[in-house]
Amino acid sequence: MEALIPVINKLQDVFNTVGADIIQLPQIAVVGTQSSGKSSVLEALVGRDLLPRGTGVVTRRPLILQLVHVDPEDRRKTSEENGVDGEEWGKFLHTKSKIYTDFDEIRLEIEAETERVSGNNKGITDEPIHLKIFSPHVVNLTLVDLPGITKVPVGDQPKDIELQIKDLIVKHISNPNSIILAVTAANTDMATSEALKVAREVDPDGRRTLAVVTKLDLMDAGTDAMDVLMGRVIPVKLGLIGVVNRSQLDINNKKTVADAIRDEYAFLQKKYPSLANRNGTKYLARTLNRLLMHHIRDCLPELKTRINVLAAQYQSLLSSYGEPVEDQSSTLLQLITKFAAEYCHTIEGTAKYIETTELCGGARICYIFHETFGRTLESVDPLGGLTTIDVLTAIRNATGPRPALFVPEVSFELLVKRQVKRLEDPSLRCVELVHEEMQRIIQHCSNYSTQELLRFPKLHDAIVEVVTSLLRKRLPVTNEMVHNLVAIELAYINTKHPDFADACGLMNNNIERRNRMRELPSSVPREKAAGGGPQGDQDGGTGNWRGMLKKGDEGMGGDRSMLQTSNPASPQRGHAVNLLDVPVPVSRKLSSREQRDCEVIERLIKSYFLIVRKNIQDSVPKAVMHFLVNHVKDSLQSELVGQLYKAGLLDDLLTESEDMAQRRNEAADMLKALQKASQVIAEIRETHLW
């Protein structure tokens, strides 16, 4: 199982080649406050001085440190191949194949690379530095050195430096495949440890947190860390390990890490003899190695699944980018044909990519015909905008100077045409909605069905323009046909229509029956009603207009209410009457005949309007399908080929977008890396390491 960590290192190398962190590999994240001893702990694990030191925030970029144990035989072979003179060396990812045998150069390179990206104003960045150390004195580990937690900005640091550092730390330790190494100085209160606090935010159960207590030799006189190391103060599931760091004086005096480890062992034997074998740098290294191996073993199944899923995704992405164009004519014809086919399939409902969030294509056109257009027509009132006065006026105008014995048919035609005309606007709106949907289908096909078009933006724009132009040409033709459908209904009012004749017969029977029930026999003699009696003779014998009007009013008696005039004054008896001075009716109650005539006309209009509306509701969708939808479907392929399949346009139309080649190469590199990672994991199974 020891070989699991090198496997993870191989995976890290694989993904480093493509500069991607899409896979969260198992690693150990080192967290602690400034001057808590993080750097000393890491250098003790490496066994060499290699990290920058100073005051304030020194670690300003994450440092991914891979420790690779090298056997003597492998070391000699590697030394011969790479020309390495020494048993320990380091390599940076950003310097490619350059090998560092001087660890002072490694420290200077870390400082230079930090300033190159983060600047020299103590700012931080989340772009990591990758360093690999090969040595026979290390155990296989992958560590991430993170900036130290700080509270107060110094120098040119931003005011929110504390929040920036915390966000950076949380980003790395939130990785469920990471182990958190929380570093706390022994001469501080463990209950206020910032490292343990931030670790608990992402690992509340403490299942992947290991605490390291540094500076055991710097505790106040008369105190010790026995309770802390025994886990009585702050229990940590993975344990607490105490270490002794080199002091700044030791570093200044060039005290080696090996000497510091010997002194540490002596200190632990003297101060904590019962705990000496469970503390110290060497025990920490072995513990981290063991924890990381077990953690890797637990993470590998999920890691394998994640790699396979990503490989499938990138394979699909690479396929969508397509291969570089070799035969332009064939490629152009293929893309045009595929777009035309997908456009037609979307209308027919047989497209490969079916929209699930909203109606699209043919389904939406069907909805427009039978829901939107149908409901709009049904909401049109047959008598809307038509008052009883309009009906009565039309009847009177159609009779001319002579009173009519029957309802004139001309008035019915005049009024029904006015109502039928109101069906034209909803019909034209139906054409407009279908046209808009067919325009939307273009975008749908571009987004979902023919992603290859995204490679060639000029071809995509040209196809959109051709289809849009075709739709634009068919719109006035379809509108004209729909206009003619309404005009046809207006051209001839077919009162012999079977449905209309049946409705008229039924209506006349109802009206006659209602009138017979409404008209009661009069008990007043005809002579008396005609103005008989002394008063009647007196008024009727005057021979003037006043008497005639009064007699006429009395003759109508119970059938009509008295006229309300705008000028109640009447000419005096014996004076000449000017016809222009006759009172003009303003409002009055309709006579029974007028009511009957208006009711007849209104019922006839409603009956005929419903017949026409039914015809329009059936014929308009058919016209739209024939003149717009089906015509575009049938002629789209030939229109695209005729407009775009030209030798002079090939180079321009098949010019890829600027970043397409780059994205294709990146996807190919990532797919290659994922496939290689999958092979590495497969080798683990074959060697029974997992």
Side-chain angles (χ1 to χ4, degrees):
M1 197 166 64
E2 177 71 24
L4 286 176
I5 297 178
V7 168
I8 293 300
N9 290 340
K10 284 185 181 180
L11 293 178
Q12 185 71 59
D13 294 341
V14 168
F15 292 116
N16 286 345
T17 59
V18 292
D21 55 356
I22 58 174
I23 296 290
Q24 295 179 319
L25 297 173
Q27 57 192 9
I28 300 171
V30 185
V31 182
T33 58
Q34 288 183 26
S35 305
S36 61
K38 286 192 303 92
S39 298
S40 296
V41 170
L42 290 173
E43 288 181 337
L45 293 173
V46 177
R48 300 295 293 265
D49 294 331
L50 79 161
L51 298 178
R53 291 181 176 274
T55 58
V57 180
V58 178
T59 304
R60 295 187 286 130
R61 290 179 62 183
L63 174 65
I64 298 180
L65 181 61
Q66 292 177 263
L67 304 183
V68 182
H69 178 77
V70 182
D71 292 331
E73 186 65 30
D74 295 335
R75 178 172 57 83
R76 284 193 298 271
K77 183 179 179 181
T78 306
S79 299
E80 293 174 359
E81 292 176 352
N82 299 324
V84 177
D85 184 15
E87 63 177 9
E88 298 176 302
W89 67 92
K91 292 174 66 175
F92 287 98
L93 177 64
H94 64 273
T95 58
K96 305 302 179 185
S97 58
K98 183 177 180 180
I99 294 177
Y100 295 81
T101 56
D102 186 346
F103 281 79
D104 288 337
E105 289 186 16
I106 292 178
R107 181 174 63 253
L108 294 175
E109 181 60 31
I110 293 175
E111 293 176 351
E113 181 65 11
T114 298
E115 291 190 1
R116 184 183 69 82
V117 176
S118 304
N120 55 8
N121 62 348
K122 300 295 183 182
I124 67 168
T125 181
D126 62 350
E127 184 179 343
I129 298 174
H130 293 266
L131 172 61
K132 187 179 290 188
I133 300 296
F134 300 85
S135 171
H137 308 299
V138 299
V139 295
N140 292 312
L141 287 176
T142 301
L143 303 151
V144 183
D145 185 21
L146 298 170
I149 301 171
T150 185
K151 293 292 184 181
V152 181
V154 296
D156 296 332
Q157 288 181 342
K159 294 182 180 180
D160 63 340
I161 186 67
E162 176 187 1
L163 183 60
Q164 288 186 26
I165 292 176
K166 183 176 180 182
D167 290 343
L168 177 59
I169 292 173
V170 170
K171 175 184 175 182
H172 282 80
I173 66 177
S174 295
N175 173 11
N177 295 334
S178 68
I179 294 175
I180 305 171
L181 188 65
V183 179
T184 304
N187 55 359
T188 61
D189 188 354
M190 284 288 291
T192 61
S193 170
E194 291 290 336
L196 289 174
K197 178 183 176 182
V198 72
R200 283 190 173 180
E201 291 181 7
V202 297
D203 182 33
D205 297 332
R207 294 181 179 178
R208 53 188 183 89
T209 301
L210 174 67
V212 175
V213 182
T214 62
K215 304 181 181 181
L216 291 175
D217 56 331
L218 298 182
M219 297 188 67
D220 293 339
T223 63
D224 60 34
M226 184 64 73
D227 290 341
V228 172
L229 297 177
M230 293 291 290
R232 297 169 184 163
V233 178
I234 301 292
V236 181
K237 287 189 177 181
L238 294 185
L240 294 96
I241 299 176
V243 297
V244 177
N245 306 110
R246 290 181 298 167
S247 65
Q248 188 61 46
L249 180 61
D250 293 335
I251 295 173
N252 294 338
N253 292 335
K254 305 297 183 181
K255 184 177 182 179
T256 64
V257 175
D259 291 339
I261 291 177
R262 282 195 296 270
D263 292 344
E264 176 192 53
Y265 179 75
F267 173 82
L268 291 173
Q269 288 290 346
K270 178 181 178 181
K271 190 72 175 178
Y272 305 97
S274 61
L275 301 177
N277 62 340
R278 286 181 289 161
N279 289 277
T281 301
K282 289 187 176 181
Y283 180 77
L284 174 62
R286 293 194 302 270
T287 302
L288 289 175
N289 178 263
R290 175 177 53 82
L291 290 175
L292 186 58
M293 283 191 299
H294 286 285
H295 198 61
I296 291 172
R297 183 190 60 189
D298 296 338
C299 295
L300 274 178
E302 182 180 350
L303 189 63
K304 178 178 181 293
T305 302
R306 172 68 173 161
I307 289 174
N308 291 338
V309 169
L310 285 173
Q313 291 176 351
Y314 273 91
Q315 181 66 62
S316 176
L317 182 63
L318 188 60
S319 299
S320 70
Y321 292 154
E323 297 294 332
V325 178
E326 295 180 359
D327 187 346
Q328 291 184 329
S329 298
S330 175
T331 301
L332 179 60
L333 187 59
Q334 180 182 0
L335 291 174
I336 288 176
T337 302
K338 186 171 183 180
F339 179 88
E342 290 296 338
Y343 190 92
C344 296
H345 290 334
T346 303
I347 294 176
E348 295 165 358
T350 58
K352 180 179 179 182
Y353 298 91
I354 297 179
E355 186 66 61
T356 58
T357 58
E358 62 177 354
L359 292 178
C360 178
R364 190 173 185 87
I365 293 175
C366 179
Y367 182 87
I368 292 171
F369 285 158
H370 303 291
E371 298 292 334
T372 306
F373 179 57
R375 289 178 182 174
T376 302
L377 288 187
E378 290 173 1
S379 67
V380 178
D381 183 6
L383 300 176
L386 196 64
T387 65
T388 304
I389 296 299
D390 295 336
V391 176
L392 186 59
T393 301
I395 294 174
R396 287 181 171 179
N397 287 337
T399 60
R402 296 174 299 279
L405 296 176
F406 306 100
V407 177
E409 187 174 341
V410 175
S411 61
F412 162 71
E413 289 197 8
L414 175 67
L415 294 172
V416 80
K417 286 181 179 180
R418 171 179 164 182
Q419 298 306 102
V420 169
K421 183 69 175 175
R422 297 169 61 220
L423 297 175
E424 184 173 4
D425 287 343
S427 302
L428 294 176
R429 177 57 180 161
C430 176
V431 178
E432 183 181 350
L433 290 175
V434 174
H435 177 268
E436 291 175 357
E437 178 56 28
M438 297 191 72
Q439 193 74 35
R440 288 178 68 244
I441 296 176
I442 303 175
Q443 192 63 36
H444 173 82
C445 292
S446 301
N447 292 342
Y448 299 101
S449 303
T450 54
Q451 293 188 7
E452 293 92 337
L453 285 179
L454 299 178
R455 294 175 56 193
F456 312 108
K458 291 186 178 180
L459 175 60
H460 174 267
D461 294 343
I463 288 177
V464 171
E465 179 60 30
V466 171
V467 182
T468 302
S469 176
L470 178 60
L471 290 172
R472 193 184 305 119
K473 286 190 296 185
R474 298 307 301 174
L475 184 60
V477 177
T478 310
N479 282 336
E480 181 66 20
M481 182 59 197
V482 170
H483 173 78
N484 287 338
L485 289 176
V486 178
I488 288 170
E489 296 291 346
L490 295 174
Y492 180 63
I493 304 302
N494 183 16
T495 56
K496 292 295 185 178
H497 192 284
D499 295 341
F500 185 68
D502 293 343
C504 288
L506 181 62
M507 179 190 66
N508 289 334
N509 293 335
N510 291 337
I511 292 177
E512 290 175 2
R513 184 167 57 252
R514 186 185 307 168
N515 289 337
R516 285 196 301 268
M517 295 177 64
R518 183 189 299 164
E519 295 175 355
L520 298 176
S522 175
S523 59
V524 181
R526 178 177 299 274
E527 309 84 56
K528 198 168 184 179
Q535 185 65 33
D537 293 339
Q538 181 182 357
D539 292 337
T542 60
N544 59 21
W545 282 93
R546 181 181 180 187
M548 293 174 64
L549 288 173
K550 185 173 182 180
K551 183 183 293 185
D553 292 339
E554 290 176 351
M556 292 186 181
D559 293 336
R560 186 175 62 185
S561 60
M562 296 297 293
L563 293 173
Q564 298 179 4
T565 62
S566 57
N567 183 11
S570 300
Q572 295 181 0
R573 185 186 304 272
H575 291 274
V577 177
N578 188 341
L579 291 177
L580 297 179
D581 292 337
V582 175
V584 180
V586 176
S587 62
R588 59 181 175 76
K589 184 177 180 180
L590 298 180
S591 67
S592 59
R593 178 175 178 178
E594 289 174 333
Q595 289 180 350
R596 182 175 65 253
D597 291 348
C598 289
E599 185 177 355
V600 167
I601 291 294
E602 288 176 356
R603 286 178 175 269
L604 290 175
I605 291 173
K606 184 174 182 180
S607 176
Y608 195 82
F609 180 88
L610 295 178
I611 295 172
V612 174
R613 186 173 72 181
K614 184 178 180 181
N615 294 341
I616 293 295
Q617 189 171 351
D618 178 64
S619 58
V620 167
K622 293 178 179 178
V624 174
M625 285 298 297
H626 177 72
F627 287 91
L628 181 61
V629 180
N630 291 342
H631 187 280
V632 170
K633 281 174 52 183
D634 296 340
S635 60
L636 180 59
Q637 170 80 13
S638 59
E639 190 77 14
L640 288 172
V641 172
Q643 295 287 338
L644 303 179
Y645 193 66
K646 299 177 181 178
L649 298 176
L650 290 177
D651 290 335
D652 186 48
L653 293 178
L654 294 180
T655 301
E656 286 189 324
S657 58
E658 296 179 357
D659 60 339
M660 182 57 67
Q662 178 183 352
R663 286 190 289 173
R664 185 190 297 111
N665 293 335
E666 290 176 353
D669 292 341
M670 180 58 69
L671 179 60
K672 189 182 298 182
L674 290 166
Q675 290 172 343
K676 189 173 182 180
S678 182
Q679 292 176 357
V680 170
I681 294 181
E683 292 173 0
I684 300 176
R685 299 184 67 91
E686 292 176 0
T687 54
H688 304 288
L689 294 175
W690 168 32

